[in-house]
Amino acid sequence: MRFSPAVVALSLVFATASSAGFGQSADIEIKPQSVEYMQLGEAAQKRDELDLAADLYETALAVDPRNGSAFIALAQIARVQQLPGKAIRLYREALILNPNNLDALAGQGEALIQRGALEKARVNLSRIETLCRTRCAQNDQLAAAIKLADKKPVLSAEAVTPKPKIGEEEPAAETP
């Protein structure tokens, strides 16, 4: 019983030392077949064959769901097709894989602007500024888009029905 603390400590040292040797490194390699589909999709996108490109990017994701570039490429196609909600969701998927992906943050910010959510786009801009110690292209791109959107009139505010002022409201009809 006297040796039990020493034995426990020694066994703990051996357990941690032996388990450190068997640890696996993170598997961050994207499957080569997924990369090939990405390249084919990029070529189709350059030829303005957006449906084919989207199919190829989706195939790349089916081969390897960890391919964040495929999510970003699909989101770019969604933005071109005026589908900002879908683009925001796809950028979010890319950010789940890599929260510090500057391209995904900037693209999501632009999709948010396209949807009319300037404040959320500014949050993305501040995240980019935090991640980029120096000026980077994504920072300049999103800042320019926000500045341009600030100059445009807010269209969603026109659709809001103003509340009546006190004394102007209509009396409620009484039902017997």
Side-chain angles (χ1 to χ4, degrees):
M1 293 301 266
R2 283 190 210 170
F3 295 110
S4 62
V7 171
V8 170
L10 187 60
S11 66
L12 185 61
V13 168
F14 284 133
T16 56
S18 65
S19 67
F22 292 113
Q24 292 182 340
S25 63
D27 184 21
I28 57 171
E29 285 286 320
I30 303 297
K31 293 181 181 177
Q33 191 176 12
S34 179
V35 174
E36 289 176 23
Y37 282 117
M38 279 291 301
Q39 292 170 347
L40 292 172
E42 289 170 2
Q45 190 174 2
K46 287 179 184 174
R47 294 188 308 265
D48 285 331
E49 297 174 359
L50 298 182
D51 290 335
L52 176 63
D55 289 342
L56 290 167
Y57 293 141
E58 288 172 0
T59 305
L61 283 172
V63 170
D64 193 348
R66 298 168 299 148
N67 191 343
S69 299
F71 282 115
I72 293 172
L74 280 170
Q76 290 171 347
I77 290 174
R79 281 189 34 228
V80 168
Q81 294 174 337
Q82 300 296 317
L83 300 170
K86 182 178 181 180
I88 291 168
R89 182 183 56 80
L90 290 165
Y91 283 124
R92 186 179 317 126
E93 292 292 329
L95 288 170
I96 288 171
L97 294 172
N98 180 6
N100 297 332
N101 189 327
L102 297 176
D103 292 328
L105 284 169
Q108 186 183 44
E110 289 183 17
L112 287 166
I113 291 169
Q114 192 176 6
R115 193 150 194 200
L118 281 175
E119 291 306 314
K120 289 183 180 180
R122 286 188 181 100
V123 170
N124 278 22
L125 180 62
S126 68
R127 283 183 62 193
I128 291 172
E129 289 171 349
T130 302
L131 292 172
C132 281
R133 300 283 181 210
T134 61
R135 299 292 286 183
C136 54
Q138 294 88 348
N139 184 12
D140 297 338
Q141 175 185 353
L142 186 55
I146 289 173
K147 188 179 289 187
L148 182 66
D150 275 337
K151 293 178 182 177
K152 291 183 180 178
V154 179
L155 299 177
S156 62
E158 295 173 356
V160 176
T161 307
K163 293 182 181 179
K165 296 179 183 173
I166 297 176
E168 292 181 1
E169 62 265 343
E170 296 177 20
E174 293 183 23
T175 55

